Amino acid sequence: MAATLDKIERLTEILGKLRALGPTLRERALEAERAGRLSDETIADLASTGAFDIASPREFGGEELSVRQQLDVIVEASKWDGSVGWVVWAGASTDWIPAGSGPRVVEEVYGPEWAGPRVAGSSHFPASRGRAKRVDGGWILSGGPWTFATASLWAPYTNLGCIAEDDHGGTYLVAAQVPRSELVFLDDWHVAGMRGTGSISVNLRSDELFVPEYRGVDFRRITSGAIESGLAGSLWKAPALGWSFSLMAGMSIGIAQGALERFLERSAGRSIRGTSYKNQLEAPLTHLMLAEVHSKIQSATLMMRANADETDRLGELAAAGTPADADDMQRFSARVLMETAYAAKWCAEAIELLQRNSGATAIMDFEPIQRSWRDARVITLHGALNLEALSENFGRLMAGIQPHQFAGITTLDRFAPAPASR
């Protein structure tokens, strides 16, 4: 009970600091867009709120908040600037990768003092251009570049997805933990939205890099929880997809909430062209639109809160030695992915309504609503949120048919026994 109360107090404190910092984050958003990255000052300010520690282990001084509590932090950060929310999300939602890689990686990532994201991840999909070859004592990495490496500009380590060959001519994914000193950061983040995230690509400093055995882990062993982390909390037993993607929807929700607040702020006393309304907020057409916007955001919020709560419950069950049935876990994971895609869609649609009713001045680059509009649409285009594919996979499970087999971070067959250690 004392630990629970302590987490509630820390959550309240972190949220309070983020709200106080919020107006400054919004003021800096345009500068971050033009630079293609958050400033080091912004990273330091966010670190001072505790936002980068929300999913770090308590054994190493982290907050280790529940997934449901982490969701509140992601929502608050995203209200002020979608790019800020994305970087905070990337830091929190990637923590299960080092935790699932074993105690030596955990010690390296969380042991030293660090003000910023602890770890970044890149290319954990079968389309990875990275390659890993097993050698005595470890791995030789080659290939690249590794794309969409959010938070790598500020994290001490980036976990790179690499394709390796097994003994039978097949391939599998290796998650390789690489220090930032061994990476080159490419200037290739020139995009339509989420411009301030600095989600650049990375390359190795040399054609090949040796990585010690413990830093390269068969990704299936991470996703299946086959490696003991040495960490005590139930968070480390929570299903990774429920954790990552419940939080991902928090970005969409926060951006939409921020856009709604901005709309109400800028619409007071504003006339509506082509009508006799002198105050947009007094017009019935505005009232109908606001009700629809609220319903879309609220639907997404309630759904993701429920998924975050369920993720925490499943983690507690697993920590108690009574994990959920594999079929139930597969269905839960498929559902979370699909519902996250729907939440992103609904929030993007809500912001589009606000944008369309904000007049021509809302296209100016200094106006937060147009940034919210672009940022929210970028989330819907994330490779893991293909709504139609995710809907088909969940529908197949509902109909008693197995989903499509595919590799990578969102694979739904991860609940089979992990391959033996090599």
Side-chain angles (χ1 to χ4, degrees), residues 294-309:
H294 163 82
S295 297
K296 289 179 181 293
I297 299 173
Q298 185 74 346
S299 296
T301 301
L302 293 176
M303 194 160 59
M304 286 306 111
R305 285 177 177 172
N307 286 342
D309 282 334

Side-chain angles (χ1 to χ4, degrees), residues 16-203:
K17 289 181 177 180
L18 278 174
R19 291 189 189 105
L21 181 61
T24 300
L25 296 175
R26 182 165 285 174
E27 288 175 7
R28 293 175 180 170
L30 179 55
E31 177 186 353
E33 280 210 311
R34 290 172 174 170
R37 52 166 289 172
L38 302 181
S39 68
D40 291 341
E41 181 182 14
T42 293
I43 293 296
D45 287 342
L46 288 169
S48 70
T49 70
F52 291 127
D53 297 324
I54 58 175
S56 296
R58 290 180 69 87
E59 289 91 335
F60 294 90
E63 303 298 343
E64 201 175 307
L65 300 183
S66 68
V67 175
R68 174 65 184 82
Q69 291 170 327
Q70 292 176 40
L71 176 62
D72 286 347
V73 175
I74 303 302
V75 169
E76 184 63 36
S78 302
K79 280 174 59 176
W80 303 100
D81 179 6
S83 291
V84 167
W86 190 288
V87 173
V88 174
W89 165 74
S93 66
T94 311
D95 279 306
W96 59 271
I97 296 179
S101 299
R104 291 188 67 180
V105 171
V106 169
E107 175 68 36
E108 282 189 339
V109 171
Y110 301 107
E113 292 188 11
W114 189 264
R118 291 282 181 164
V119 66
S122 181
S123 299
H124 292 124
F125 291 93
S128 173
R129 298 172 184 169
R131 295 294 179 266
K133 181 180 179 181
R134 181 174 287 282
V135 295
D136 288 342
W139 306 85
I140 295 292
L141 307 187
S142 61
W146 287 263
T147 56
F148 303 108
T150 303
S152 63
L153 289 169
W154 307 286
Y157 292 93
T158 297
N159 197 286
L160 305 178
C162 302
I163 304 299
E165 292 187 2
D166 61 26
D167 298 333
H168 307 289
T171 60
Y172 61 100
L173 190 66
V174 171
Q177 197 84 339
V178 177
R180 63 181 289 112
S181 60
E182 299 290 350
L183 298 174
V184 175
F185 305 101
L186 307 184
D187 181 16
D188 63 351
W189 189 242
H190 310 290
V191 290
M194 290 294 184
R195 292 178 179 174
T197 63
S199 299
I200 44 80
S201 301
V202 297
N203 256 332

Side-chain angles (χ1 to χ4, degrees), residues 26 79-80 254-268 270 280-281 290 354-355 358 361-362 364 366-372:
R26 182 165 285 174
K79 280 174 59 176
W80 303 100
I255 294 169
Q257 288 181 356
L260 176 56
E261 289 180 5
R262 176 58 183 156
F263 176 86
L264 294 172
E265 177 185 89
R266 75 189 305 271
S267 297
R270 179 179 176 274
Q280 186 173 15
L281 294 184
L290 288 175
L354 296 168
Q355 168 80 355
S358 293
T361 57
M364 301 297 183
F366 57 77
E367 174 51 55
I369 285 181
Q370 58 80 27
R371 184 176 305 110
S372 299

Side-chain angles (χ1 to χ4, degrees), residues 375-394:
D375 288 350
R377 276 299 172 190
V378 165
I379 296 174
T380 69
L381 299 176
H382 190 280
L385 295 187
N386 183 330
L387 178 60
E388 290 74 22
L390 297 175
S391 296
E392 182 186 350
N393 275 319
F394 183 64

